[in-house]
Amino acid sequence: MEQAFVILRHREIPDIQQLGTYIKDGGYEAWKRAVKEMTADQVIDVVKASGLRGRGGAGFPAGVKWSFVPKNVFPKYVVVNGDESEPGTFKDREIIEQNPHQLVEGVALCAYAIQAEIAYIYLRGEFKAPARILQAAIDEAYQAGLLGKNIQGSNYSLNIYLHLGAGAYICGEETALLESLEGKLGQPRLRPPFPANVGLYAKPTVINNVETLANVPPIVRKGAEWYRSFGTEKSPGTKIFCLSGMVKRPGNYEVPLGKIKIRDLIFGEEFGQGLLAEGRTVKGVLPAGASAPVLPESALDTLLDYESVAAAGSMLGSASFIIMDNTVDMVWAATKMVHFFKHESCGKCTPCREGTYWMLNLLEKIDHGHGEQRDVIMLGNVAQQMLGGKCFCLLGDFSTSPVISTLKHFRNEYDAKVQLTPDGGVGTHGAHG
Amino acid sequence: MPKVTIDGQEVNVPAGTVVVEAARQVGNEIPVFCYHPKLAPVGMCRMCLVEVGTPRLNKDRQVELDVDGKPIINWMPKFQTGCTQVVSEGMAIRTQTSQVAAARKDVLEFLLTSHPLDCPVCDKGGECPLQNLTMAYGPGVSRFDYAVKFHFQKPVHLNNLITLDRERCIQCARCTRFSDEIAGDPVLGFENRGRGMEIVTLSDPPFDSKFSGNTTDICPVGALTTRDFRFRARVWELEDVPSICNHCAVGCNTIIGQRVNDIKRIMPRQNESVNEIWLCDKGRFAHHFANSRQSTLGPPVPSGTHRLETPLIRRGGPQGDRLVPASWPEALKLVAEKLSAAGPDGVYGISGDRLPNEDMYLFQKFFRQVLGSNHLARWPVVARGPVTGTLFQEIGLSSGSNFGKMGKDTSILVVGADAEEEAPIHFLRIKQAGDRGAALIVANPYHTKLEKYGRHCFVYRPGSAAAFVWGLVRAIMDAGLEQKEFLGSRATGLAELQTGMEQYTVARAAELAGVKAEDLQAAAQTFAQAANGVLVIGRELLGSDTDPALPEAIRALLTVTGHIGKAQNGLLPLLPHNNTQGALDMGLDAGPEYRTKWLPGYQPVTDKGTSSGIPASSAIYVIGSDLGSESDLARQALEAAPFVIVQDLLLTETALLADVVLPAAAPMEREGTFTSSERRVQRFKPALQPPGHALPDWWILRELAQVMANAQDKTGWRYDTPADIMAEIAHVVPQYATMAYENLPVPDLPSRKLDYDDSLFYRGTSFLNPGGEGQVWPVKAEDSAVVLQVRWVEPAVAGQPAAGQTWLITRPHLYDAGTLLSQTALLQPQMVPHTWLHVSPADAARWGVAEGAAVSVSTGEDMLSFVVHLDADLPAGIVTAAPARLEGAAGQTRWPVNVTVVNAQRLAS
């Protein structure tokens, strides 16, 4: 199975970040056709028919999302989620840096589809260099009459603005992103109302991931059928997999969904080319950064599409695969990940604010060899105690994934750590009992 | 009205109701921390988790039924927050399952992991929702390792009144939402994230709000406490006494927390018709005059202003005359002798307007019956202008009106009033009505905070309020928007009005007022087309220098729009003091003349003697007023009088001029009634013992009358309690016919339940008001037989400001450095000294003066000295000073007046 470059076009066409090259490759054809010949609904229909699913993590059909936006409320907004804050995710950065015009065209098509005249691209605060590249592309598009007032002689006008965040994981959550964009503290909003109805500045808003929108120009240009020729029935198209961890060749790989297995991604000649160190085995795979439950070696033959990864007990999410070999201490790894969530918990709701802190305390205690068996049990309890609708947003739920999945698959490692304590892990309970 | 089932119990609730509120209707209290019925729900604390299900529908969208004929419920897989989940038809809610109980326990355990659990030293202890809910739902013991509690430096002061303990904070955002949504002061926010998230103030000066104390009431933990109450008492040791705030004329209901004859704190008492559950910071903190010697916070109070404990008599001695302590019989005998000797024409009585109704009634009765004199006046001169007259009792805000119920169908026109400064809780409720959709029209000679919420806003030329209001009347008539049917049966003089106004076009009005004609027309349309209309006027229009055309313009505006005589309609004056209305009702009004015009109940006085100042008298009796500190004229009159009696709480500047000083009890040391500017008569109860030998004013007057009536009939002066006096008022004053104490709501002592209690959970630590909401006496216009006379009176035109001119106008401030307020050291940073002249940056630049510069201005007749205070919100060409300063300082000068700078101290910049 080979890679297919629907989005990572620069892998085939050098200099595609320049407007001329991009246009030569068919760039902005879809955009020009849309503003001149297509109605907004026609654009939505093509995207709907393509089955394109949101690439930010949730996998919600993009065209369906767009069709939720009310027709008669103005202004409306398109907001592009370029926060790319999930650990191990670096696909949006490559799109922005290497193929920025495809993103700009995708944003424009989305805006046209919902008849928004303003689009904001929200990039994480650290993306200063990518922001310069993207801004240059936007400027070029303006100069070429592809953005701005009365585009291509039509009645349609569109302005695209870039905004840099201040470096908070939670701002990748779409409603927290909106708060941040409005200049407020980045904390998620109550839903309903959903952003499609009450979004940025309380107006109808579509929020899509960078990768999602980069898919749109080729879909509109070449049609839904062409797009559906990649991937599976339920997960059409290609997906960029961010491979990192203990593999020989980490990087972004664009592959049709449902065509290769996790094993192929790690060991395939044109992918990861195997583990970094000889003689080791895969111990755990994080399919979606720190948010998704870790998969054990037994899951390596899972196909890479939304449904298969979910069936294996995890989720595809943003498809950032972090590979851990058999030398990795899974208690240590869980501690690292929970530390991340504790650091990034926004503090809005009680269970996440307190639960992440508590889990980290227990994990550090166990990891440092001061834990007792009852701490391991309590760790599981605390994680479970955060679930079931207790947390305000999914960050809280996600923060339990490293704990629950490592306890499920690697309980022996926890047991080993607490057995190192002087009392053999039984615990006197005297210290604080 | 969707029907929902809560734990098997069916209830119909209005669409849009959240589950927590629906559950309350069936007596099911779902525990909450962040939810508050006065604030928008946020779903942050997660305490109110419930199980929610909706009926399963078949293909035809019909509810599927089970074998018992009951709807099959699709239960949602996760808990929902009851504070954010809006009900829908057929929704089922479970709040009593073991899962819900476990969830509540889990959330509480999480909350307590961060909490310092310092209840034994926490001021909230005993009335703390976190404490109470932990007892009710908590896990009992925490499994959290105590050694790793999160620490913050503590405490921090959010402003000079409010202290924040960040370790106790549970991040519920009640305080930030109160400031944003209710007070309109978005000056609090969260900073940082996770467990480090903390409340910070974003304003300079910090937590810049006149309502900051309310955050301590609604804080569900001890994170926010007042500097006043911090470590002063345990709440269960307090005796909670229902009272009425004695500062402004809103009449906020309060609870005085008393212990060992000391006020430990004042909190709001819920009255949804008056103050809801709020109280301004002045009402909350400015009680220290009662115990003015005991103040230990901040700088010491001005010397000589401590509470009077015995009568004082001026006696000669080696060091000259001075006031020395005397006994009550001695003092009363001397006063009786002097008043008798002065005779009916030689006496003069001056009453403040802060006293309870009963005392003011007895004061005027003492003069009229015992002394046989009508030589009476009320001080201050403010609210003695042409507008005050009988206008309030004729077209005042109708009984049954409630700002809390005003919304889309109401327009509120605010003219010449800075509501936030003059009556903060009225400001709050007018703003809230605007938030609910009421059309606010705001017109002032300078910018006010209410403009932020106004649909139409005007800054009119100083002194042109009458021209402005007449302009609205003309615009309404031009547009044919007058209520013709109403006018046909309820008004006369309309034809003459139209003829009279012929030359007074909207354009003319706009020119005089310095506003745009089309704006005037738009505002007139909004006001006329609203189903309900309220006109709010303030201090600027109540002065004795107000244009005599103004009352006619006001009556005409409310009559042609039909905004009178029915609930949610009429005129609301923001009167200067807590019982100005009561003073009017008790026959203590005076016009610009220094003689009373009415007997109690607005019966005209027949001997119409007038004078242009305090008349030369043999004996002057001042009760509850520090006029000597406010007015040079008054001071001169007092100095000239052979005998002066001053009855007051403190040894004021006025008292220092007296020959006899009689120590009076403060409002919180006796019972009585106040009448708010809505004409709501409300009872209050005593919380403290008066200091030393001080006595209630009515008691002193009774004793004095009995001494003087020695040989005469004493039967009229047998009052044992204020209730006896009110019983007499109910006979004498027609408006008070139903106000005898047995008919007024009894301010019952609220029962303080230490366990689970609705009032503690949903209203912070404020208290329910089970006794009712006070009685409002109806105005004449509410009687449909009353016909209103409209009359055209040409507005007097104040001089037109020309380039380079400066107009001096009066402008009230909440923290006005008055005699009572000055006793509260805690509020010193908020004070606006009488010496300040507020100057726009443009004028300051023109004069070449900076902040703090000394400046003297001339009105032509008077020379006034001030200290410059820059105010960026003032329009150029207008400078403002405190009413007390201008009303007293200058002779016959009328405000606004054109002033010139005579001498300005130029500070190095």
Side-chain angles (χ1 to χ4, degrees):
Chain A
M1 185 71 214
E2 291 199 346
Q3 295 190 63
F5 299 118
V6 173
I7 303 161
L8 302 179
R9 297 286 304 146
H10 55 277
R11 301 269 177 102
E12 289 180 343
I13 320 273
D15 298 333
I16 201 168
Q17 71 268 39
Q18 287 164 15
L19 182 63
T21 318
Y22 181 68
I23 288 176
K24 226 178 276 170
D25 187 48
Y28 289 113
E29 259 176 37
W31 175 229
K32 288 177 191 162
R33 175 141 43 93
V35 288
K36 286 181 185 162
E37 297 165 20
M38 294 172 78
T39 65
D41 283 343
Q42 283 171 328
V43 177
I44 293 182
D45 289 344
V46 176
V47 176
K48 251 188 193 171
S50 75
L52 170 65
R53 295 174 65 166
R55 302 297 196 228
F60 192 82
V64 177
K65 194 185 217 177
W66 298 1
S67 65
F68 288 157
V69 174
K71 306 274 181 218
N72 49 357
V73 184
F74 294 94
K76 301 181 241 214
Y77 299 100
V78 167
V79 173
V80 185
N81 187 344
D83 194 60
E84 188 151 68
S85 44
E86 187 62 45
T89 312
F90 37 79
K91 61 191 178 60
D92 295 345
R93 178 180 183 141
E94 184 171 345
I95 297 169
I96 292 165
E97 287 184 335
Q98 304 291 335
N99 193 9
H101 282 289
Q102 191 163 328
L103 172 62
V104 173
E105 187 180 2
V107 174
L109 284 163
C110 175
Y112 184 76
I114 66 158
Q115 291 292 296
E117 301 208 330
I118 293 178
Y120 293 96
I121 303 176
Y122 183 99
L123 300 182
R124 62 180 295 155
E126 295 86 345
F127 276 8
K128 289 198 173 58
R132 276 193 289 275
I133 294 167
L134 187 54
Q135 188 60 56
I138 292 169
D139 293 345
E140 273 187 308
Y142 270 103
Q143 279 157 21
L146 295 163
L147 294 175
K149 246 185 132 41
N150 295 44
I151 296 161
Q152 301 289 308
S154 70
N155 287 329
Y156 182 71
S157 304
L158 173 65
N159 285 310
I160 299 181
Y161 302 99
L162 267 190
H163 181 87
L164 282 175
Y169 175 69
I170 190 63
C171 292
E173 196 282 339
E174 61 180 14
T175 58
L177 187 152
L178 294 180
E179 289 284 293
S180 171
L181 193 54
E182 288 181 11
K184 299 173 187 161
L185 193 68
Q187 290 192 336
R189 290 178 183 173
L190 210 57
R191 277 179 294 201
F194 290 93
N197 288 306
V198 182
L200 187 66
Y201 304 117
K203 292 294 175 187
T205 303
V206 158
I207 308 167
N208 274 129
N209 175 256
V210 165
E211 185 187 350
T212 313
L213 292 179
N215 270 297
V216 174
I219 290 172
V220 175
R221 185 156 66 98
K222 299 180 181 172
E225 278 312 305
W226 167 83
Y227 190 72
R228 280 188 171 280
S229 69
F230 301 96
T232 67
E233 173 66 27
K234 285 184 175 169
S235 297
T238 60
K239 176 83 192 81
I240 302 175
F241 293 90
C242 311
L243 182 65
S244 65
M246 297 154 139
V247 290
K248 278 202 181 118
R249 212 167 69 114
N252 286 321
Y253 299 99
E254 184 175 356
V255 190
L257 281 160
K259 300 298 178 192
I260 63 167
K261 297 171 178 170
I262 298 175
R263 189 185 299 283
D264 303 329
L265 188 65
I266 300 170
F267 294 99
E269 202 42 45
E270 61 171 316
F271 302 110
Q273 293 178 352
L275 295 175
L276 205 50
E278 292 299 323
R280 294 192 189 167
T281 55
V282 174
K283 189 185 211 175
V285 174
L286 292 164
S291 294
V294 59
L295 290 172
E297 189 185 11
S298 59
L300 286 186
D301 289 322
T302 306
L303 278 172
L304 291 177
D305 61 58
Y306 292 100
E307 292 71 29
S308 305
V309 179
S314 188
M315 56 178 208
L316 189 58
S318 57
S320 36
F321 280 76
I322 301 173
I323 311 303
M324 294 177 280
D325 72 20
N326 59 333
T327 64
V328 172
D329 175 346
M330 293 311 278
V331 178
W332 169 85
T335 309
K336 283 284 164 201
M337 285 185 271
V338 170
H339 182 274
F340 171 79
F341 285 112
K342 175 255 162 192
H343 182 68
E344 294 293 348
S345 171
C346 79
K348 181 162 185 161
C349 73
T350 310
C352 174
R353 180 178 70 232
E354 309 296 342
T356 52
Y357 191 81
W358 194 351
M359 286 194 298
L360 180 63
N361 264 296
L362 290 165
L363 276 165
E364 284 180 340
K365 192 175 172 191
I366 297 164
D367 189 41
H368 295 162
H370 307 304
E372 303 163 11
Q373 190 57 250
R374 66 167 205 153
D375 292 319
V376 180
I377 295 163
M378 200 193 299
L379 177 66
N381 280 348
V382 174
Q384 290 297 339
Q385 196 168 320
M386 294 172 67
L387 296 175
K390 299 231 186 66
C391 294
F392 189 95
C393 78
L394 285 175
L395 186 146
D397 293 50
F398 288 162
S399 73
T400 65
S401 296
V403 170
I404 292 174
S405 60
T406 52
L407 277 173
K408 181 177 167 193
H409 300 299
F410 308 101
R411 174 63 186 253
N412 56 331
E413 297 192 26
Y414 285 91
D415 292 343
K417 289 233 174 181
V418 296
Q419 275 153 20
L420 295 175
T421 56
D423 58 9
V426 179
T428 61
H429 297 195
H432 46 251
Chain B
M1 294 263 282
K3 182 161 75 180
V4 299
T5 309
I6 302 171
D7 297 326
Q9 199 174 352
E10 288 185 351
V11 61
N12 285 294
V13 291
T17 306
V18 295
V19 166
V20 165
E21 288 295 335
R24 287 183 76 201
Q25 297 196 4
V26 292
N28 182 340
E29 295 282 354
I30 296 173
V32 296
F33 289 112
C34 67
Y35 176 73
H36 191 287
K38 297 278 184 192
L39 305 171
V42 283
M44 287 167 72
C45 76
R46 318 305 285 179
M47 189 62 208
C48 62
L49 295 174
V50 291
E51 294 177 55
V52 174
T54 47
R56 188 197 292 172
L57 303 179
N58 63 20
K59 289 199 300 287
D60 305 323
R61 312 287 299 163
Q62 298 297 308
V63 176
E64 282 190 50
L65 302 177
D66 64 12
V67 287
D68 299 329
K70 292 196 169 154
I72 300 171
I73 300 295
N74 281 337
W75 292 96
M76 296 186 195
K78 290 180 169 184
F79 292 115
Q80 303 297 314
T81 43
C83 72
T84 61
Q85 178 69 54
V86 175
V87 297
S88 61
E89 180 58 39
M91 181 178 279
I93 297 135
R94 292 195 290 225
T95 73
Q96 303 296 325
T97 61
S98 57
Q99 288 86 343
V100 170
R104 289 172 178 174
K105 192 178 283 190
D106 290 349
V107 171
L108 270 167
E109 190 180 31
F110 279 135
L111 272 174
L112 294 174
T113 59
S114 270
H115 197 77
L117 299 172
D118 57 349
C119 310
V121 295
C122 176
D123 293 306
K124 202 76 168 189
E127 56 180 19
C128 173
L130 182 59
Q131 222 178 18
N132 294 348
L133 290 182
T134 300
M135 295 304 287
Y137 304 107
V141 289
S142 175
R143 297 172 295 157
F144 190 72
D145 193 333
Y146 300 112
V148 287
K149 287 272 174 184
F150 201 78
H151 287 298
F152 274 115
Q153 182 209 331
K154 65 188 215 170
V156 291
H157 300 301
L158 285 181
N159 62 14
N160 56 313
L161 305 170
I162 308 298
T163 294
L164 168 66
D165 184 321
R166 291 167 292 179
E167 292 182 1
R168 292 180 190 153
C169 176
I170 60 166
Q171 287 99 339
C172 73
R174 277 187 180 185
C175 55
T176 59
R177 282 179 287 150
F178 168 81
S179 298
D180 290 354
E181 298 169 21
I182 308 280
D185 296 317
V187 297
L188 287 186
F190 281 120
E191 200 172 82
N192 297 326
R193 64 187 183 215
R195 278 175 62 120
M197 189 164 78
E198 58 182 295
I199 298 288
V200 290
T201 171
L202 313 167
S203 61
D204 181 20
F207 198 179
D208 188 14
S209 173
K210 293 182 170 61
F211 305 99
S212 63
N214 293 298
T215 59
T216 65
D217 296 341
I218 59 174
C219 179
V221 294
L224 294 171
T225 51
T226 69
R227 296 259 331 253
D228 214 23
F229 184 59
R230 198 172 156 75
F231 304 138
R232 293 278 309 280
R234 302 313 322 233
V235 296
W236 55 86
E237 296 174 334
L238 297 177
E239 184 199 351
D240 294 315
V241 184
S243 192
I244 302 294
C245 181
N246 66 315
H247 287 289
C248 82
V250 174
C252 291
N253 292 208
T254 59
I255 285 282
I256 295 178
Q258 180 272 137
R259 180 170 142 75
V260 204
N261 207 34
D262 187 22
I263 296 176
K264 297 298 179 187
R265 65 176 182 186
I266 291 185
M267 297 179 87
R269 180 161 52 99
Q270 185 178 23
N271 186 329
E272 288 299 316
S273 294
V274 181
N275 54 305
E276 302 182 15
I277 59 168
W278 315 122
L279 191 61
C280 77
D281 288 347
K282 186 174 179 178
R284 186 181 301 265
F285 297 110
H287 57 77
H288 291 271
F289 64 88
N291 286 321
S292 60
R293 285 162 309 150
Q294 298 175 18
S295 177
T296 51
L297 290 165
V301 297
S303 60
T305 52
H306 57 75
R307 283 296 296 276
L308 294 163
E309 297 192 10
T310 67
L312 305 173
I313 293 176
R314 185 172 299 280
R315 297 189 200 277
Q319 283 92 41
D321 286 355
R322 57 193 193 96
L323 288 164
V324 296
S327 71
W328 271 111
E330 200 181 359
L332 290 177
K333 186 161 165 284
L334 178 62
V335 170
E337 280 170 16
K338 293 288 185 181
L339 289 176
S340 298
D345 292 327
V347 293
Y348 190 67
I350 300 170
S351 167
D353 49 8
R354 292 178 172 280
L355 300 176
N357 289 317
E358 293 78 1
D359 304 61
M360 294 200 290
Y361 173 80
L362 274 204
F363 185 62
Q364 64 82 34
K365 182 177 175 181
F366 175 77
F367 262 73
R368 287 175 166 134
Q369 193 203 60
V370 178
L371 302 180
S373 172
N374 269 319
H375 293 189
L376 277 165
R378 175 177 55 80
W379 193 272
V381 288
V382 75
R384 270 163 49 174
V387 170
T388 311
T390 55
L391 202 60
F392 305 160
Q393 56 138 348
E394 185 187 356
I395 59 168
L397 187 64
S398 298
S399 55
S401 298
N402 183 350
F403 280 96
K405 295 211 154 59
M406 292 178 195
K408 281 192 174 62
D409 55 354
T410 306
S411 178
I412 304 172
L413 168 61
V414 181
V415 183
D418 188 350
E420 198 199 16
E421 299 283 352
E422 297 178 49
I425 295 297
H426 277 320
F427 161 83
L428 206 89
R429 302 186 80 220
I430 293 168
K431 173 208 166 274
Q432 305 266 66
D435 293 343
R436 284 189 298 267
L440 308 186
I441 306 166
V442 185
N444 277 301
Y446 45 82
H447 297 290
T448 65
K449 191 167 141 194
L450 201 58
E451 281 180 15
K452 201 166 134 192
Y453 311 96
R455 193 168 297 174
H456 309 277
C457 299
F458 300 90
V459 173
Y460 56 70
R461 284 206 182 111
S464 71
F468 175 82
V469 177
W470 274 129
L472 291 173
V473 175
R474 176 66 196 250
I476 288 164
M477 311 254 264
D478 283 356
L481 292 172
E482 66 270 30
Q483 296 292 310
K484 297 186 182 72
E485 201 174 311
F486 177 83
L487 289 168
S489 61
R490 298 293 307 274
T492 60
L494 201 67
E496 294 83 347
L497 178 71
Q498 275 171 322
T499 317
M501 288 192 85
E502 201 162 3
Q503 303 299 315
Y504 195 78
T505 60
V506 176
R508 170 82 179 134
E511 187 196 344
L512 290 176
V515 300
K516 282 191 189 146
E518 58 264 37
D519 295 347
L520 207 53
Q521 282 157 339
Q525 190 173 344
T526 298
F527 192 65
Q529 288 181 333
N532 300 307
V534 176
L535 171 57
V536 180
I537 59 170
R539 199 71 176 260
E540 192 213 337
L541 308 189
L542 298 172
S544 54
D545 44 29
T546 306
D547 186 345
L550 193 61
E552 300 302 336
I554 288 171
R555 186 185 287 109
L557 177 67
L558 291 177
T559 306
V560 299
T561 52
H563 290 325
I564 46 174
K566 51 187 195 226
Q568 322 288 47
N569 287 273
L571 170 68
L572 174 69
L574 304 181
L575 296 170
H577 292 131
N578 56 319
N579 207 20
T580 310
Q581 183 65 47
L584 301 178
D585 300 344
M586 295 305 124
L588 274 174
D589 187 51
E593 311 85 17
Y594 282 70
R595 288 288 172 87
T596 181
K597 294 189 291 191
W598 301 302
L599 303 173
Y602 302 94
Q603 308 304 313
V605 169
T606 44
D607 59 335
K608 291 201 181 229
T610 60
S611 65
S612 59
I614 297 173
S617 311
S618 306
I620 297 179
Y621 190 168
V622 179
I623 180 167
S625 174
D626 187 15
L627 71 169
S629 74
E630 291 176 7
S631 160
D632 296 340
L633 280 183
R635 200 182 169 85
Q636 286 155 15
L638 293 172
E639 280 167 352
F643 193 75
V644 174
I645 307 143
V646 173
Q647 182 169 317
D648 213 325
L649 312 179
L650 307 160
L651 193 63
T652 60
E653 284 187 44
T654 309
L656 288 169
L657 299 171
D659 296 284
V660 173
V661 179
L662 303 176
M668 48 282 265
E669 291 158 1
R670 31 81 48 81
E671 71 172 322
T673 58
F674 291 139
T675 306
S676 75
S677 53
E678 291 178 312
R679 306 178 320 285
R680 185 181 307 274
V681 182
Q682 302 185 103
R683 274 183 74 185
F684 57 89
K685 292 215 164 175
L688 307 175
Q689 292 291 321
H693 299 286
L695 291 168
D697 295 283
W698 64 269
W699 185 301
I700 301 169
L701 289 161
R702 180 192 68 185
E703 296 300 309
L704 194 56
Q706 296 203 346
V707 170
M708 291 196 67
N710 213 352
Q712 301 165 27
D713 175 26
K714 288 185 188 177
T715 52
W717 287 85
R718 293 197 189 283
Y719 309 103
D720 289 331
T721 65
D724 297 341
I725 306 170
M726 196 47 139
E728 183 173 320
I729 295 172
H731 281 293
V732 174
V733 181
Q735 290 82 357
Y736 284 60
T738 61
M739 305 288 183
Y741 274 17
E742 61 266 30
N743 300 327
L744 287 177
V746 183
D748 275 330
L749 290 171
S751 63
R752 174 183 286 278
K753 285 188 274 175
L754 285 177
D755 56 1
Y756 190 81
D757 183 336
D758 168 59
S759 62
L760 297 186
F761 280 93
Y762 286 93
R763 294 170 193 99
T765 45
S766 66
F767 294 85
L768 287 171
N769 195 12
E773 303 189 330
Q775 266 201 53
V776 177
W777 56 264
V779 291
K780 279 186 188 166
E782 289 177 63
D783 177 353
S784 59
V786 169
V787 174
L788 295 144
Q789 170 78 44
V790 292
R791 199 174 9 235
W792 163 250
V793 176
E794 178 94 30
V797 180
Q800 297 296 300
Q805 282 189 338
T806 307
W807 290 81
L808 174 57
I809 56 177
T810 67
R811 179 184 178 193
H813 294 280
L814 182 65
Y815 302 109
D816 60 359
T819 308
L820 291 186
L821 185 58
S822 302
Q823 307 308 310
T824 297
L826 196 62
L827 286 168
Q828 292 300 331
Q830 269 88 349
M831 259 7 138
V832 178
H834 289 180
T835 51
W836 275 6
L837 184 71
H838 286 75
V839 181
S840 69
D843 287 328
R846 191 157 58 85
W847 298 354
V849 295
E851 175 87 25
V855 61
S856 298
V857 299
S858 167
T859 67
E861 295 177 15
D862 295 279
M863 181 81 89
L864 302 166
S865 297
F866 293 103
V867 174
V868 168
H869 179 70
L870 293 182
D871 185 340
D873 291 335
L874 270 185
I878 291 172
V879 294
T880 70
R885 169 88 172 134
L886 295 187
E887 279 149 14
Q892 296 304 302
T893 305
R894 298 167 85 84
W895 316 101
V897 67
N898 190 242
V899 292
T900 50
V901 179
V902 176
N903 184 19
Q905 174 198 359
R906 285 174 174 76
L907 298 183
S909 54

